[in-house]
């Protein structure tokens, strides 16, 4: 099987899955803009946008322009892969930051699984939980606009995953049926009860 991972930063949310697929003998390619390191058997392709977003672009849209530029760079890399004869059986793309925007155009008909973390809301979510008065009208309009690139990827993907039901619930109801809740999992080798020696540390004497 041929699998293409796309993420702004390598290895992003996919280190364990990419490693497992490569170890199983699958042909794994990873397109990314940032990040270092290697995963055995995974071919990394680093991309760079041709330019930065213009300072004169409306401030609601500078992030969108950056995403489009990254999307173009990823599209160019994917098109080169296609010319080399690589056509993935599955594309896994982290949504919302740009590299996944145009993958459906680069590989028409290939199943595209998007990873969706968060749909932005000015009210009743993360932006105003400390103090609703902190979110100005300008903030609210900017936050709504930020969803444009997410919605483009949500429309283009074959299906999407979100880590929790709470995150899925943030998305518009008309799109929720396209999203499957799939928890990221917990690394129990790292997050585990302390051993007896660690628990026996003496109390810390803090000044009043």
């Amino acid at each position: 099987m041929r699998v293409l991972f796309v993420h702004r930063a390598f290895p992003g949310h996919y280190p364990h899955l990419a490693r497992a697929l490569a170890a199983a003998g699958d042909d794994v390619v990873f397109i990314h803009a940032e990040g270092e390191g290697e995963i055995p058997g995974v071919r990394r392709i680093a991309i760079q946008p041709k330019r930065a977003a213009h300072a004169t672009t409306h401030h609601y849209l500078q992030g969108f322009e950056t995403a489009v530029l990254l999307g173009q760079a990823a599209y160019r890399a994917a098109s080169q892969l296609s010319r080399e004869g690589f056509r993935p059986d599955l594309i896994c793309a982290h949504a919302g930051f740009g590299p996944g925007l145009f993958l459906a155009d680069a590989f028409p008909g290939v199943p595209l699984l998007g990873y969706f973390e968060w749909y932005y809301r000015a009210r009743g979510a993360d932006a105003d939980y400390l103090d609703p008065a902190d979110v100005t009208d300008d903030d609210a309009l900017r936050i709504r606009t930020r969803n444009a690139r997410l919605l483009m990827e949500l429309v283009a993907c074959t299906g999407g995953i979100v880590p929790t039901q709470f995150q899925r619930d943030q998305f518009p109801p008309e799109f929720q049926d396209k999203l499957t809740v799939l928890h990221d999992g917990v690394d129990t080798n790292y997050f585990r009860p302390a051993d007896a020696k660690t628990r026996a540390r003496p109390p810390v004497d803090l000044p009043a």
Side-chain angles (χ1 to χ4, degrees):
M1 184 170 70
R2 293 180 169 183
V3 182
L4 174 62
F5 291 99
V6 182
H7 199 293
R8 183 177 63 175
F10 177 88
H13 294 73
Y14 301 120
H16 306 297
L17 184 57
R19 181 177 292 107
L21 290 171
D26 293 318
D27 191 356
V28 181
V29 178
F30 202 120
I31 293 174
H32 65 97
E34 305 167 9
E36 299 178 350
E38 301 292 337
I39 296 176
V42 176
R43 176 186 174 189
R44 290 198 299 114
I45 300 177
I47 58 171
Q48 289 293 329
K50 287 191 172 181
R51 62 173 178 84
H54 287 301
T56 55
T57 299
H58 193 288
H59 69 281
Y60 293 3
L61 296 174
Q62 287 187 358
F64 187 85
E65 185 177 7
T66 297
V68 167
L69 290 163
L70 282 171
Q72 288 180 316
Y75 178 86
R76 289 191 291 269
S79 296
Q80 178 60 37
L81 283 171
S82 182
R83 288 190 292 271
E84 295 171 2
F86 180 90
R87 180 177 173 82
D89 299 296
L90 174 66
I91 302 169
C92 297
H94 182 240
F97 296 93
L101 275 175
F102 307 120
L103 297 177
D105 303 284
F107 294 110
V110 173
L112 172 54
L113 180 64
Y115 184 105
F116 294 86
E117 285 191 79
W118 192 247
Y119 188 85
Y120 300 96
R121 296 181 180 275
R123 306 294 177 190
D126 61 329
D128 68 340
Y129 79 99
L130 291 177
D131 185 354
D134 285 342
V135 179
T136 66
D137 290 344
D138 188 61
D139 290 331
L141 301 184
R142 175 183 52 78
I143 289 169
R144 178 183 292 278
T145 305
R146 190 173 183 181
N147 289 315
R149 55 193 191 251
L150 271 172
L151 291 171
M152 282 183 64
E153 293 197 56
L154 189 49
V155 169
C157 73
T158 309
I161 59 173
V162 290
T164 67
Q165 184 67 45
F166 175 75
Q167 287 163 279
R168 182 176 181 267
D169 289 345
Q170 305 308 306
F171 285 81
E174 56 267 36
F175 287 108
Q176 290 183 16
D177 286 346
K178 202 171 186 179
L179 298 170
T180 299
V181 176
L182 183 64
H183 195 267
D184 289 332
V186 177
D187 183 353
T188 54
N189 289 322
Y190 183 84
F191 296 101
R192 57 192 173 92
D195 57 32
K197 182 178 180 181
T198 302
R199 288 197 299 267
R201 290 175 179 169
V204 177
D205 184 15
L206 296 177

